[in-house]
Amino acid sequence: MRHARAAVTRAPGAPFAVRDVELEDPRPREVLVRMAAAGVCHTDLGIQAIWPPRLTPVVFGHEGAGRVEAVGAEVTAVAPGDHVCLTFASCGACPQCAADQPAYCRSARDLNLSGGRGDGTTPLRLDGAPLHGGFFGQSSFATYAVVHERGVVKVPSDLPATVAAPLGCGGQTGAGTVLNRLRPGPGTSLVVLGAGGVGLSALMAAVAAGCDPVVAVDPVASRRELAVGLGAGAALPPDDALVATVRDLTDGGAHHVVDTTGRPEMLHRAVGALRPRGELACLALGGEVTFDMTRLMAKGVRVHGVMEGDSDPRRFIPELIGLHRRGLFPVDRLVTTFPFEDIGAAVAAMRDGSAVKPVLTFA
C-alpha cells in the first residue's frame, strides 16, 4: 500500500474533501502515476451530482497528467520516469476497440463509471475500507493514480503537465468532434454553442482546419472575448436574435454546429441556424430533447452524438500535441491553475464562469 491524498466525495453533490488515503500497487497491466496536474471538467461536477449513493465515498477526476512511478509486470507501453497524459478506459478487445473506436467500447460503463475496475475492485482505501474510484479509469483528483496501461498516453517530457491534462478529455472531445467526426473542409462555416473548455477546443480545431467563419456563442462576455482571441470571426450572446445573426454571418446558415450545452432551447436554435444538409454534433450530457422531425427531414439535417471526440487517444493526443507545438491548438490559453488542496476554489471558478479550464497542480 502507498499513502496518497485524494479529494473524496461522500454523497452525491457533496463538496470535495481532501483526505489521506491508501493505494494498492499496480496489477500486471496497470501503471502507477504520480500526478502533476488534473483538469476539472463539467463532467466531474455533473456526474458527481447524480452519482449513486451506494458507490460513495468516491474519488473523481479524469483529466490527469503526471509521471510514471511504477508499472506492472506485463506493461509495455510506458516505463518508470515517462511523462504521461491519462484518458478514459477501454477494454481493447471488443469490436469497437478493434476498429480503433475505444470511446464506444462495449465495456465503457463498467470500466469508467462503475466506481472501480471492471471486476468490481478498487485500488483505493479510506480508513481501511474500500474507496470507490476508477472514474474514467483513473480518479485523478489524487496525488497518485493506478491506471490500466490502455488509459496512459506517453507525452514529451518538456510538455507542461497543465497543457497535457486537459487533452485527456475536454481537449480531445472538442477537437476530435471537429477533426475526427465532422471533418469540415476549408472555408466551411462552423458554430460552437458554449465557450467552455470543450467548446473552445472545438473552436481551435475549426480554426486550425481552415473553417470560415467560426462563430462562438456564450453568455459570458469574457469567454466571447477569448473566443475571438483564439480565432473566432464572431462571438455572440445566446439572445433571441441568435439564429438570424448566425444565418447572416454564414450566408444563409452554418455548415456545422457543435453543441456543448445540452440545453433543449440551444439545440433547437442550432437546427434553425443550420443550412440545408447541415450537421449538428451533440457533445454534452443531458436529458431528452424533442425535435420537429418534419423540420429535420425538410432541411436534411444530420445529427451526430459524439463521445470523446471519436478519439483513439494513443493516436489523437499526439496529434493535438503536434498542433499545440505549431501554435494551432493553444490550450494553455484556457487554463487557470489552482493548488490541489484548493479544489473547492477551482470548482467555484468553473461554476461561476471565471475560469474556463481550472487545472489542479500538485507539489
Side-chain angles (χ1 to χ4, degrees), residues 299-310:
K299 293 185 73 171
V301 169
R302 287 163 283 180
V303 180
H304 302 261
V306 189
M307 285 293 294
E308 298 287 352
D310 273 8

Side-chain angles (χ1 to χ4, degrees), residues 276-292:
R277 303 189 74 248
E279 298 183 79
L280 168 61
C282 305
L283 316 189
L285 299 175
E288 293 185 2
V289 178
T290 301
F291 289 111
D292 181 335

Side-chain angles (χ1 to χ4, degrees), residues 37-304:
V40 180
C41 178
H42 278 293
T43 300
D44 292 303
L45 308 186
I47 293 183
Q48 182 206 26
I50 61 172
W51 190 254
R54 64 183 175 79
L55 297 180
T56 59
V58 60
V59 178
F60 289 97
H62 67 287
E63 288 185 345
R67 191 168 182 174
V68 175
E69 290 266 315
V71 299
E74 298 177 14
V75 171
T76 59
V78 293
D82 285 345
H83 292 251
V84 292
C85 170
L86 307 186
T87 188
F88 62 89
S90 58
C91 74
C94 71
Q96 294 300 324
C97 287
D100 298 326
Q101 289 290 341
Y104 306 100
C105 173
R106 284 184 176 177
S107 300
R109 178 168 290 276
D110 288 342
L111 295 174
N112 292 281
L113 298 170
S114 67
R117 300 180 176 100
D119 63 5
T121 64
T122 172
L124 294 165
R125 298 289 183 273
L126 175 65
D127 298 328
L131 172 61
H132 292 286
F135 185 64
F136 278 71
Q138 54 187 278
S139 287
S140 53
F141 288 168
T143 52
Y144 289 90
V146 170
V147 186
H148 193 279
E149 68 172 331
R150 281 186 57 82
V152 175
V153 179
K154 186 176 178 180
V155 300
S157 60
D158 62 343
L159 183 73
T162 52
V163 171
L167 302 182
C169 182
Q172 71 177 348
T173 295
T177 296
V178 174
L179 301 177
N180 298 331
R181 175 66 73 90
L182 296 177
R183 300 183 180 183
T188 57
S189 53
L190 188 143
V191 178
V192 177
L193 304 180
V198 173
L200 290 176
S201 293
L203 183 149
M204 291 186 291
V207 172
C211 293
D212 184 29
V214 178
V215 180
V217 179
D218 198 274
V220 180
S222 61
R223 294 190 175 196
R224 297 198 299 270
E225 182 179 354
L226 177 57
V228 172
L230 292 170
L236 310 172
D239 57 24
D240 292 340
L242 177 63
V243 171
T245 304
V246 169
R247 286 176 173 171
D248 287 343
L249 290 170
T250 58
D251 192 25
H255 291 90
H256 310 283
V257 175
V258 176
D259 177 74
T260 70
T261 72
R263 296 180 179 177
E265 70 275 14
M266 294 305 295
L267 289 163
H268 293 154
R269 289 174 174 176
V271 173
L274 285 167
R275 67 178 56 205
R277 303 189 74 248
E279 298 183 79
L280 168 61
C282 305
L283 316 189
L285 299 175
E288 293 185 2
V289 178
T290 301
F291 289 111
D292 181 335
M293 292 304 298
T294 300
R295 188 182 187 196
L296 287 183
M297 294 168 64
K299 293 185 73 171
V301 169
R302 287 163 283 180
V303 180
H304 302 261

